[in-house]
Amino acid sequence: QQQVKQSPQSLIVQKGGIPIINCAYENTAFDYFPWYQQFPGKGPALLIAIRPDVSEKKEGRFTISFNKSAKQFSLHIMDSQPGDSATYFCAASKVRNQFYFGTGTSLTVIP
Amino acid sequence: GAGVSQTPSNKVTEKGKYVELRCDPISGHTALYWYRQSLGQGPEFLIYFQGTGAADDSGLPNDRFFAVRPEGSVSTLKIQRTERGDSAVYLCASSPTVSYNEQFFGPGTRLTVL
């Protein structure tokens, strides 16, 4: 059973565009929602994370929007750059517990 | 400072063989996690340690998989009688404490079972 569902599977945008990646979860006990960026041959690296008591968090060009009632959250990348081309994973967890990851979104930013 | 390191970076073995994968967490981190990432998928939880003890091993797929962390630092994931379906990237992550949410991932060990 997939605890976190992620879409789309792949995304292609032009440089400067705003890719949006969406995730949905079922378990209302989750209280931490990170986004990880992974380059080929590397481990996932934390980009940004949010807790359910806020609806939006922004760090640099990355923004998480969180909708607690719909149990959905999304990642927006402003002014996307070719260097942002990577695979992005959403995840969810409870404190003192494992991460449940989405299936990943492969992003390609065309120069 | 140094991040999480994993050795070897690549391991090729034959079906039925035994393998050990090593993880060196960030110094001082007490929580350590193992995940398995199959091609085109997100990481899937295997086991986590708080100190020396396995706090949750519910993700281990079967009794061929075992992990230890005898001194509360380095951890070894052990796979007996490897099968072709075990082929994946095995990721290790560490965290300052189990109640600190962020997990810092290593580069992974790519295991190929022929």
Short mmCIF file of all heavy atoms in Angstrom, two decimals, chain A residues 43-44, chain B residues 1-7 22-27 29 31-34 73 75 90-95 103-108:
data_model
loop_
_atom_site.label_atom_id
_atom_site.label_comp_id
_atom_site.label_asym_id
_atom_site.label_seq_id
_atom_site.Cartn_x
_atom_site.Cartn_y
_atom_site.Cartn_z
N GLY A 43 22.85 10.15 -3.13
CA GLY A 43 21.74 9.94 -2.22
C GLY A 43 20.81 11.14 -2.22
O GLY A 43 21.19 12.23 -2.66
N PRO A 44 19.59 10.97 -1.75
CA PRO A 44 18.65 12.10 -1.67
C PRO A 44 19.17 13.18 -0.73
O PRO A 44 19.77 12.86 0.30
CB PRO A 44 17.38 11.46 -1.11
CG PRO A 44 17.53 9.99 -1.33
CD PRO A 44 18.99 9.71 -1.27
N GLY B 1 31.59 19.39 7.69
CA GLY B 1 32.04 18.11 8.21
C GLY B 1 31.68 17.00 7.27
O GLY B 1 30.97 17.19 6.28
N ALA B 2 32.17 15.78 7.56
CA ALA B 2 31.91 14.64 6.70
C ALA B 2 30.46 14.24 6.80
O ALA B 2 29.84 14.29 7.86
CB ALA B 2 32.81 13.48 7.11
N GLY B 3 29.93 13.79 5.65
CA GLY B 3 28.56 13.32 5.61
C GLY B 3 28.51 11.84 5.89
O GLY B 3 29.48 11.21 6.34
N VAL B 4 27.37 11.21 5.58
CA VAL B 4 27.20 9.78 5.71
C VAL B 4 27.99 9.10 4.59
O VAL B 4 27.89 9.50 3.43
CB VAL B 4 25.72 9.39 5.62
CG1 VAL B 4 25.54 7.88 5.69
CG2 VAL B 4 24.91 10.08 6.71
N SER B 5 28.79 8.11 4.95
CA SER B 5 29.53 7.39 3.92
C SER B 5 29.09 5.93 3.90
O SER B 5 28.72 5.36 4.95
CB SER B 5 31.04 7.49 4.11
OG SER B 5 31.41 6.91 5.33
N GLN B 6 29.12 5.35 2.70
CA GLN B 6 28.71 3.96 2.53
C GLN B 6 29.75 3.24 1.68
O GLN B 6 30.23 3.78 0.69
CB GLN B 6 27.34 3.87 1.85
CG GLN B 6 26.21 4.39 2.72
CD GLN B 6 24.85 4.16 2.10
OE1 GLN B 6 24.15 5.10 1.74
NE2 GLN B 6 24.48 2.88 1.96
N THR B 7 30.06 2.02 2.09
CA THR B 7 30.99 1.20 1.32
C THR B 7 30.48 -0.22 1.21
O THR B 7 29.82 -0.72 2.12
CB THR B 7 32.38 1.19 1.98
OG1 THR B 7 32.25 0.77 3.34
CG2 THR B 7 33.06 2.53 1.88
N ARG B 22 28.20 -1.56 4.35
CA ARG B 22 28.59 -0.79 5.54
C ARG B 22 28.12 0.65 5.44
O ARG B 22 28.13 1.25 4.36
CB ARG B 22 30.11 -0.82 5.68
CG ARG B 22 30.68 0.01 6.82
CD ARG B 22 32.20 0.05 6.76
NE ARG B 22 32.75 1.03 7.65
CZ ARG B 22 33.42 0.76 8.77
NH1 ARG B 22 33.59 -0.49 9.14
NH2 ARG B 22 33.91 1.73 9.51
N CYS B 23 27.74 1.20 6.59
CA CYS B 23 27.33 2.61 6.68
C CYS B 23 28.06 3.28 7.83
O CYS B 23 28.03 2.79 8.97
CB CYS B 23 25.82 2.71 6.90
SG CYS B 23 25.25 4.39 7.26
N ASP B 24 28.70 4.42 7.53
CA ASP B 24 29.31 5.26 8.56
C ASP B 24 28.46 6.53 8.68
O ASP B 24 28.49 7.37 7.79
CB ASP B 24 30.73 5.64 8.16
CG ASP B 24 31.73 4.56 8.45
OD1 ASP B 24 31.91 3.69 7.60
OD2 ASP B 24 32.31 4.60 9.55
N PRO B 25 27.74 6.69 9.77
CA PRO B 25 26.86 7.85 9.89
C PRO B 25 27.66 9.11 10.23
O PRO B 25 28.88 9.04 10.50
CB PRO B 25 25.96 7.48 11.06
CG PRO B 25 26.83 6.61 11.92
CD PRO B 25 27.68 5.82 10.96
N ILE B 26 27.00 10.24 10.22
CA ILE B 26 27.62 11.48 10.65
C ILE B 26 27.97 11.35 12.13
O ILE B 26 27.17 10.84 12.93
CB ILE B 26 26.68 12.66 10.40
CG1 ILE B 26 26.48 12.85 8.88
CG2 ILE B 26 27.21 13.93 11.05
CD1 ILE B 26 25.43 13.87 8.51
N SER B 27 29.16 11.82 12.48
CA SER B 27 29.63 11.68 13.85
C SER B 27 28.65 12.29 14.84
O SER B 27 28.19 13.43 14.66
CB SER B 27 31.00 12.36 13.99
OG SER B 27 31.46 12.27 15.32
N HIS B 29 25.60 11.31 15.43
CA HIS B 29 24.20 10.99 15.15
C HIS B 29 23.84 9.65 15.78
O HIS B 29 24.48 8.64 15.57
CB HIS B 29 23.98 10.92 13.63
CG HIS B 29 23.84 12.26 13.00
ND1 HIS B 29 23.31 12.45 11.73
CD2 HIS B 29 24.16 13.50 13.44
CE1 HIS B 29 23.30 13.72 11.44
NE2 HIS B 29 23.82 14.39 12.47
N ALA B 31 20.62 8.21 15.63
CA ALA B 31 19.62 7.46 14.85
C ALA B 31 20.20 7.10 13.49
O ALA B 31 20.83 7.95 12.83
CB ALA B 31 18.35 8.27 14.69
N LEU B 32 19.98 5.88 13.05
CA LEU B 32 20.50 5.41 11.77
C LEU B 32 19.43 4.58 11.07
O LEU B 32 18.79 3.74 11.69
CB LEU B 32 21.77 4.57 11.98
CG LEU B 32 22.53 4.10 10.72
CD1 LEU B 32 24.02 4.06 10.98
CD2 LEU B 32 22.00 2.79 10.20
N TYR B 33 19.24 4.85 9.79
CA TYR B 33 18.18 4.22 9.01
C TYR B 33 18.77 3.54 7.78
O TYR B 33 19.70 4.04 7.17
CB TYR B 33 17.19 5.28 8.51
CG TYR B 33 16.55 6.12 9.61
CD1 TYR B 33 17.24 7.17 10.19
CD2 TYR B 33 15.24 5.87 10.01
CE1 TYR B 33 16.65 7.94 11.18
CE2 TYR B 33 14.64 6.64 10.99
CZ TYR B 33 15.35 7.67 11.58
OH TYR B 33 14.75 8.44 12.55
N TRP B 34 18.19 2.42 7.40
CA TRP B 34 18.49 1.76 6.14
C TRP B 34 17.24 1.77 5.26
O TRP B 34 16.13 1.47 5.74
CB TRP B 34 18.92 0.31 6.35
CG TRP B 34 20.33 0.12 6.84
CD1 TRP B 34 20.73 -0.09 8.12
CD2 TRP B 34 21.52 0.11 6.04
NE1 TRP B 34 22.11 -0.24 8.17
CE2 TRP B 34 22.61 -0.12 6.91
CE3 TRP B 34 21.77 0.25 4.67
CZ2 TRP B 34 23.94 -0.21 6.46
CZ3 TRP B 34 23.09 0.17 4.23
CH2 TRP B 34 24.15 -0.05 5.11
N SER B 73 27.55 3.29 16.29
CA SER B 73 28.03 4.20 15.24
C SER B 73 27.87 3.51 13.88
O SER B 73 26.80 3.56 13.30
CB SER B 73 29.46 4.61 15.50
OG SER B 73 29.93 5.44 14.46
N SER B 75 27.15 0.88 11.03
CA SER B 75 26.16 -0.18 10.89
C SER B 75 26.48 -1.04 9.68
O SER B 75 27.04 -0.54 8.69
CB SER B 75 24.75 0.42 10.74
OG SER B 75 23.79 -0.61 10.53
N TYR B 90 21.06 0.43 -1.89
CA TYR B 90 20.79 0.40 -0.46
C TYR B 90 21.33 1.71 0.12
O TYR B 90 22.52 2.01 0.05
CB TYR B 90 21.43 -0.83 0.18
CG TYR B 90 20.68 -2.08 -0.23
CD1 TYR B 90 20.94 -2.69 -1.45
CD2 TYR B 90 19.68 -2.61 0.59
CE1 TYR B 90 20.22 -3.81 -1.85
CE2 TYR B 90 18.96 -3.73 0.19
CZ TYR B 90 19.23 -4.32 -1.03
OH TYR B 90 18.52 -5.42 -1.44
N LEU B 91 20.41 2.49 0.67
CA LEU B 91 20.73 3.81 1.21
C LEU B 91 20.74 3.78 2.74
O LEU B 91 19.91 3.11 3.36
CB LEU B 91 19.67 4.83 0.76
CG LEU B 91 19.62 5.16 -0.72
CD1 LEU B 91 18.31 5.86 -1.06
CD2 LEU B 91 20.79 6.05 -1.12
N CYS B 92 21.68 4.51 3.29
CA CYS B 92 21.76 4.68 4.73
C CYS B 92 21.53 6.16 5.03
O CYS B 92 21.96 7.03 4.26
CB CYS B 92 23.12 4.23 5.21
SG CYS B 92 23.43 4.49 6.96
N ALA B 93 20.85 6.45 6.12
CA ALA B 93 20.63 7.83 6.54
C ALA B 93 20.87 7.91 8.04
O ALA B 93 20.69 6.92 8.77
CB ALA B 93 19.22 8.29 6.20
N SER B 94 21.28 9.08 8.51
CA SER B 94 21.43 9.26 9.95
C SER B 94 20.77 10.57 10.38
O SER B 94 20.51 11.46 9.56
CB SER B 94 22.89 9.21 10.38
OG SER B 94 23.62 10.36 9.97
N SER B 95 20.51 10.66 11.66
CA SER B 95 19.83 11.80 12.23
C SER B 95 20.39 12.03 13.64
O SER B 95 20.75 11.06 14.32
CB SER B 95 18.33 11.51 12.28
OG SER B 95 17.61 12.61 12.76
N GLN B 103 16.61 13.57 8.02
CA GLN B 103 17.53 12.45 7.82
C GLN B 103 18.51 12.82 6.73
O GLN B 103 18.14 13.34 5.68
CB GLN B 103 16.75 11.19 7.44
CG GLN B 103 15.81 10.71 8.54
CD GLN B 103 15.04 9.47 8.17
OE1 GLN B 103 15.41 8.72 7.26
NE2 GLN B 103 13.96 9.21 8.88
N PHE B 104 19.79 12.57 7.00
CA PHE B 104 20.87 12.88 6.07
C PHE B 104 21.30 11.57 5.40
O PHE B 104 21.73 10.65 6.06
CB PHE B 104 22.05 13.51 6.83
CG PHE B 104 21.69 14.79 7.53
CD1 PHE B 104 21.09 14.78 8.78
CD2 PHE B 104 21.93 16.03 6.93
CE1 PHE B 104 20.75 15.95 9.43
CE2 PHE B 104 21.60 17.21 7.58
CZ PHE B 104 21.00 17.17 8.82
N PHE B 105 21.19 11.55 4.09
CA PHE B 105 21.44 10.31 3.34
C PHE B 105 22.87 10.21 2.82
O PHE B 105 23.49 11.20 2.44
CB PHE B 105 20.48 10.22 2.15
CG PHE B 105 19.10 9.80 2.54
CD1 PHE B 105 18.19 10.72 3.02
CD2 PHE B 105 18.70 8.47 2.42
CE1 PHE B 105 16.91 10.33 3.39
CE2 PHE B 105 17.42 8.07 2.77
CZ PHE B 105 16.53 9.01 3.26
N GLY B 106 23.36 8.97 2.78
CA GLY B 106 24.61 8.67 2.12
C GLY B 106 24.38 8.45 0.63
O GLY B 106 23.23 8.50 0.15
N PRO B 107 25.45 8.19 -0.13
CA PRO B 107 25.34 8.03 -1.58
C PRO B 107 24.78 6.68 -2.01
O PRO B 107 24.40 6.50 -3.16
CB PRO B 107 26.78 8.19 -2.07
CG PRO B 107 27.60 7.72 -0.90
CD PRO B 107 26.85 8.14 0.32
N GLY B 108 24.73 5.73 -1.06
CA GLY B 108 24.17 4.42 -1.38
C GLY B 108 25.19 3.40 -1.85
O GLY B 108 26.30 3.75 -2.28
#
